[in-house]
Short mmCIF file of all heavy atoms in Angstrom, two decimals:
data_model
loop_
_atom_site.label_atom_id
_atom_site.label_comp_id
_atom_site.label_asym_id
_atom_site.label_seq_id
_atom_site.Cartn_x
_atom_site.Cartn_y
_atom_site.Cartn_z
N PRO A 73 138.40 233.34 63.35
CA PRO A 73 137.27 234.29 63.02
C PRO A 73 137.70 235.40 62.03
O PRO A 73 138.92 235.54 61.73
CB PRO A 73 136.99 234.97 64.39
CG PRO A 73 138.28 234.77 65.17
CD PRO A 73 138.91 233.47 64.64
N ASP A 74 136.84 236.05 61.46
CA ASP A 74 137.03 236.98 60.41
C ASP A 74 137.74 238.24 60.99
O ASP A 74 138.26 239.14 60.15
CB ASP A 74 135.85 237.40 59.64
CG ASP A 74 134.77 238.03 60.40
OD1 ASP A 74 134.96 238.18 61.65
OD2 ASP A 74 133.72 238.39 59.76
N GLN A 75 137.71 238.40 62.29
CA GLN A 75 138.46 239.45 62.83
C GLN A 75 139.76 238.95 63.59
O GLN A 75 139.62 238.19 64.56
CB GLN A 75 137.61 240.20 63.89
CG GLN A 75 136.37 240.79 63.32
CD GLN A 75 135.47 241.43 64.36
OE1 GLN A 75 135.81 241.56 65.52
NE2 GLN A 75 134.30 241.95 63.92
N SER A 76 140.85 239.15 62.98
CA SER A 76 142.12 238.47 63.45
C SER A 76 142.48 238.67 64.84
O SER A 76 143.11 237.87 65.54
CB SER A 76 143.33 238.99 62.66
OG SER A 76 143.46 240.37 62.63
N GLU A 77 141.97 239.81 65.50
CA GLU A 77 142.30 240.09 66.92
C GLU A 77 141.56 239.06 67.81
O GLU A 77 141.80 238.98 69.04
CB GLU A 77 141.98 241.53 67.22
CG GLU A 77 140.48 241.94 67.18
CD GLU A 77 140.07 242.38 65.78
OE1 GLU A 77 140.88 242.17 64.84
OE2 GLU A 77 138.85 242.81 65.61
N GLU A 78 140.62 238.39 67.33
CA GLU A 78 139.82 237.50 68.16
C GLU A 78 140.53 236.23 68.45
O GLU A 78 140.33 235.55 69.50
CB GLU A 78 138.59 237.07 67.41
CG GLU A 78 137.50 238.17 67.34
CD GLU A 78 136.69 238.25 68.52
OE1 GLU A 78 136.80 237.36 69.37
OE2 GLU A 78 135.80 239.19 68.68
N GLY A 79 141.58 235.89 67.67
CA GLY A 79 142.40 234.56 67.85
C GLY A 79 141.55 233.36 67.51
O GLY A 79 140.56 233.59 66.84
N VAL A 80 142.11 232.18 67.94
CA VAL A 80 141.38 230.99 67.66
C VAL A 80 140.02 230.76 68.40
O VAL A 80 140.01 231.21 69.58
CB VAL A 80 142.29 229.81 67.98
CG1 VAL A 80 141.60 228.44 67.72
CG2 VAL A 80 143.59 229.82 67.15
N ARG A 81 139.07 230.24 67.83
CA ARG A 81 137.79 229.95 68.52
C ARG A 81 137.34 228.57 68.32
O ARG A 81 137.84 227.85 67.32
CB ARG A 81 136.79 230.92 68.06
CG ARG A 81 136.96 232.44 68.33
CD ARG A 81 137.23 232.66 69.72
NE ARG A 81 135.98 232.36 70.57
CZ ARG A 81 134.98 233.24 70.89
NH1 ARG A 81 135.17 234.49 70.50
NH2 ARG A 81 133.99 232.87 71.74
N GLY A 82 136.39 227.99 69.03
CA GLY A 82 135.99 226.66 68.93
C GLY A 82 134.47 226.61 68.79
O GLY A 82 133.70 227.31 69.34
N LEU A 83 134.02 225.49 68.14
CA LEU A 83 132.56 225.14 68.00
C LEU A 83 132.42 223.72 68.36
O LEU A 83 133.29 222.91 68.11
CB LEU A 83 132.17 225.43 66.61
CG LEU A 83 132.10 226.96 66.12
CD1 LEU A 83 131.85 226.91 64.65
CD2 LEU A 83 130.94 227.63 66.76
N ASN A 84 131.21 223.39 68.89
CA ASN A 84 130.92 222.04 69.19
C ASN A 84 129.40 221.75 68.76
O ASN A 84 128.54 222.47 68.92
CB ASN A 84 131.08 221.75 70.67
CG ASN A 84 130.42 220.38 71.06
OD1 ASN A 84 129.67 220.32 72.01
ND2 ASN A 84 130.84 219.41 70.45
N THR A 85 129.33 220.60 68.08
CA THR A 85 127.93 220.16 67.64
C THR A 85 127.83 218.69 67.54
O THR A 85 128.89 217.97 67.45
CB THR A 85 127.63 220.75 66.32
OG1 THR A 85 126.25 220.58 65.84
CG2 THR A 85 128.44 220.21 65.11
N ASN A 86 126.59 218.17 67.57
CA ASN A 86 126.42 216.71 67.39
C ASN A 86 125.85 216.51 66.02
O ASN A 86 124.84 217.08 65.62
CB ASN A 86 125.46 216.19 68.38
CG ASN A 86 126.02 215.89 69.81
OD1 ASN A 86 127.30 215.56 69.78
ND2 ASN A 86 125.33 215.90 70.84
N LEU A 87 126.57 215.69 65.23
CA LEU A 87 126.15 215.37 63.87
C LEU A 87 125.45 213.98 63.92
O LEU A 87 126.06 212.91 64.08
CB LEU A 87 127.47 215.25 63.01
CG LEU A 87 127.23 215.29 61.56
CD1 LEU A 87 126.54 216.62 61.14
CD2 LEU A 87 128.51 215.04 60.82
N ASP A 88 124.08 214.04 63.98
CA ASP A 88 123.23 212.84 64.09
C ASP A 88 123.22 211.97 62.82
O ASP A 88 123.28 212.63 61.74
CB ASP A 88 121.82 213.18 64.62
CG ASP A 88 121.89 213.81 65.97
OD1 ASP A 88 122.58 213.25 66.80
OD2 ASP A 88 121.08 214.75 66.15
N PHE A 89 123.09 210.70 62.92
CA PHE A 89 122.81 209.87 61.80
C PHE A 89 122.02 208.73 62.11
O PHE A 89 122.00 208.21 63.26
CB PHE A 89 124.26 209.44 61.19
CG PHE A 89 125.07 208.53 62.01
CD1 PHE A 89 124.97 207.22 62.04
CD2 PHE A 89 125.95 209.14 62.87
CE1 PHE A 89 125.66 206.33 62.86
CE2 PHE A 89 126.79 208.34 63.70
CZ PHE A 89 126.65 207.00 63.69
N SER A 90 121.36 208.13 61.16
CA SER A 90 120.53 206.94 61.26
C SER A 90 120.72 206.11 59.94
O SER A 90 120.44 206.75 58.95
CB SER A 90 119.06 207.23 61.48
OG SER A 90 118.48 205.95 61.58
N GLU A 91 121.29 205.03 60.05
CA GLU A 91 121.63 204.27 58.77
C GLU A 91 121.03 202.86 58.79
O GLU A 91 121.07 202.18 59.87
CB GLU A 91 123.24 204.15 58.75
CG GLU A 91 123.71 203.66 57.41
CD GLU A 91 123.60 204.82 56.46
OE1 GLU A 91 123.57 205.97 56.77
OE2 GLU A 91 123.81 204.40 55.18
N MET A 92 120.49 202.50 57.68
CA MET A 92 119.99 201.09 57.47
C MET A 92 120.93 200.38 56.70
O MET A 92 121.02 200.74 55.39
CB MET A 92 118.53 201.23 56.93
CG MET A 92 117.75 199.93 57.02
SD MET A 92 117.09 199.54 58.67
CE MET A 92 115.79 200.69 58.78
N ILE A 93 121.50 199.25 57.03
CA ILE A 93 122.46 198.47 56.26
C ILE A 93 121.92 197.11 56.01
O ILE A 93 121.42 196.46 56.89
CB ILE A 93 123.73 198.43 56.98
CG1 ILE A 93 124.35 199.77 57.30
CG2 ILE A 93 124.83 197.57 56.25
CD1 ILE A 93 125.59 199.88 58.17
N ASN A 94 121.95 196.70 54.84
CA ASN A 94 121.43 195.29 54.42
C ASN A 94 122.42 194.30 54.86
O ASN A 94 123.65 194.35 54.54
CB ASN A 94 121.27 195.26 52.87
CG ASN A 94 120.13 196.19 52.40
OD1 ASN A 94 119.10 196.42 53.00
ND2 ASN A 94 120.22 196.80 51.27
N ILE A 95 121.84 193.31 55.59
CA ILE A 95 122.69 192.18 56.02
C ILE A 95 121.89 190.86 55.68
O ILE A 95 120.86 190.57 56.42
CB ILE A 95 122.96 192.27 57.52
CG1 ILE A 95 123.59 193.53 57.92
CG2 ILE A 95 123.88 191.08 57.97
CD1 ILE A 95 125.03 193.74 57.64
N PRO A 96 122.30 190.23 54.63
CA PRO A 96 121.49 188.92 54.31
C PRO A 96 121.46 187.93 55.43
O PRO A 96 122.44 187.82 56.12
CB PRO A 96 122.24 188.39 53.14
CG PRO A 96 122.97 189.65 52.48
CD PRO A 96 123.29 190.45 53.70
N ASN A 97 120.39 187.18 55.57
CA ASN A 97 120.21 186.17 56.53
C ASN A 97 120.14 186.49 58.07
O ASN A 97 120.07 185.66 58.83
CB ASN A 97 121.34 185.05 56.41
CG ASN A 97 121.46 184.53 54.94
OD1 ASN A 97 120.43 184.29 54.28
ND2 ASN A 97 122.72 184.51 54.40
N CYS A 98 120.08 187.77 58.36
CA CYS A 98 120.03 188.23 59.79
C CYS A 98 118.54 188.43 60.09
O CYS A 98 117.72 188.71 59.28
CB CYS A 98 120.82 189.42 60.05
SG CYS A 98 120.11 191.05 59.60
N ASN A 99 118.26 188.35 61.46
CA ASN A 99 116.82 188.65 61.93
C ASN A 99 117.08 189.27 63.37
O ASN A 99 118.20 189.25 63.81
CB ASN A 99 116.03 187.46 61.88
CG ASN A 99 116.50 186.21 62.78
OD1 ASN A 99 116.80 186.44 63.95
ND2 ASN A 99 116.73 185.06 62.13
N SER A 100 115.91 189.53 63.90
CA SER A 100 115.92 190.26 65.20
C SER A 100 116.32 189.42 66.45
O SER A 100 116.60 190.07 67.54
CB SER A 100 114.48 190.72 65.48
OG SER A 100 113.52 189.80 65.54
N GLU A 101 116.47 188.07 66.18
CA GLU A 101 116.81 187.21 67.34
C GLU A 101 118.32 187.02 67.51
O GLU A 101 118.79 186.54 68.32
CB GLU A 101 116.20 185.80 67.22
CG GLU A 101 114.68 185.80 66.96
CD GLU A 101 114.03 186.38 68.32
OE1 GLU A 101 114.44 186.01 69.44
OE2 GLU A 101 113.12 187.13 68.15
N MET A 102 119.05 187.60 66.65
CA MET A 102 120.52 187.41 66.49
C MET A 102 121.25 188.45 67.38
O MET A 102 120.60 189.45 67.86
CB MET A 102 121.06 187.37 65.17
CG MET A 102 120.50 186.23 64.29
SD MET A 102 121.03 186.18 62.56
CE MET A 102 120.26 184.77 61.95
N GLN A 103 122.52 188.32 67.42
CA GLN A 103 123.40 189.30 68.17
C GLN A 103 124.17 190.03 67.20
O GLN A 103 124.61 189.56 66.25
CB GLN A 103 124.16 188.69 69.19
CG GLN A 103 123.51 188.04 70.43
CD GLN A 103 122.90 186.64 70.06
OE1 GLN A 103 123.65 185.83 69.54
NE2 GLN A 103 121.71 186.42 70.45
N SER A 104 124.50 191.35 67.55
CA SER A 104 125.36 192.15 66.67
C SER A 104 126.56 192.72 67.46
O SER A 104 126.36 193.07 68.69
CB SER A 104 124.57 193.27 65.93
OG SER A 104 124.10 194.22 66.98
N ASN A 105 127.75 192.85 66.85
CA ASN A 105 128.87 193.39 67.29
C ASN A 105 129.36 194.53 66.31
O ASN A 105 129.51 194.25 65.18
CB ASN A 105 130.00 192.43 67.63
CG ASN A 105 131.23 192.92 68.20
OD1 ASN A 105 131.68 193.96 67.77
ND2 ASN A 105 131.63 192.32 69.38
N ILE A 106 129.47 195.76 66.74
CA ILE A 106 129.67 196.87 65.83
C ILE A 106 130.93 197.66 66.28
O ILE A 106 131.06 197.95 67.52
CB ILE A 106 128.48 197.75 65.73
CG1 ILE A 106 127.34 197.12 65.17
CG2 ILE A 106 128.88 199.10 64.90
CD1 ILE A 106 126.00 197.90 65.06
N LYS A 107 131.87 197.89 65.41
CA LYS A 107 133.03 198.76 65.65
C LYS A 107 133.06 199.93 64.65
O LYS A 107 133.02 199.62 63.40
CB LYS A 107 134.36 197.99 65.62
CG LYS A 107 134.49 196.99 66.70
CD LYS A 107 135.82 196.24 66.69
CE LYS A 107 135.90 195.27 67.78
NZ LYS A 107 137.30 194.59 67.77
N THR A 108 132.96 201.10 65.03
CA THR A 108 132.90 202.25 64.20
C THR A 108 134.01 203.17 64.23
O THR A 108 134.55 203.42 65.36
CB THR A 108 131.54 203.06 64.61
OG1 THR A 108 130.49 202.22 64.62
CG2 THR A 108 131.38 204.22 63.54
N THR A 109 134.65 203.40 63.09
CA THR A 109 135.84 204.22 63.05
C THR A 109 135.60 205.41 62.19
O THR A 109 135.04 205.29 61.02
CB THR A 109 137.06 203.43 62.52
OG1 THR A 109 137.18 202.23 63.24
CG2 THR A 109 138.28 204.26 62.59
N ILE A 110 136.01 206.61 62.60
CA ILE A 110 136.05 207.73 61.61
C ILE A 110 137.27 207.74 60.71
O ILE A 110 138.40 207.84 61.16
CB ILE A 110 136.07 209.16 62.51
CG1 ILE A 110 134.91 209.28 63.39
CG2 ILE A 110 136.16 210.31 61.57
CD1 ILE A 110 134.91 210.43 64.28
N LYS A 111 137.03 207.50 59.48
CA LYS A 111 138.10 207.53 58.52
C LYS A 111 138.51 208.92 58.12
O LYS A 111 139.65 209.08 57.76
CB LYS A 111 137.81 206.72 57.29
CG LYS A 111 137.22 205.31 57.55
CD LYS A 111 138.28 204.48 58.26
CE LYS A 111 139.43 204.12 57.47
NZ LYS A 111 140.40 203.23 58.11
#
Side-chain angles (χ1 to χ4, degrees):
D74 62 358
Q75 298 176 7
S76 58
E77 65 274 9
E78 289 278 353
V80 176
R81 299 301 299 267
L83 294 169
N84 170 231
T85 188
N86 277 334
L87 197 61
D88 295 318
F89 64 90
S90 181
E91 194 74 19
M92 196 75 77
I93 299 174
N94 293 326
I95 307 285
N97 304 318
C98 81
N99 60 56
S100 59
E101 302 300 318
M102 297 178 180
Q103 294 82 43
S104 63
N105 186 308
I106 298 175
K107 293 183 179 178
T108 308
T109 306
I110 298 177
K111 303 302 288 185

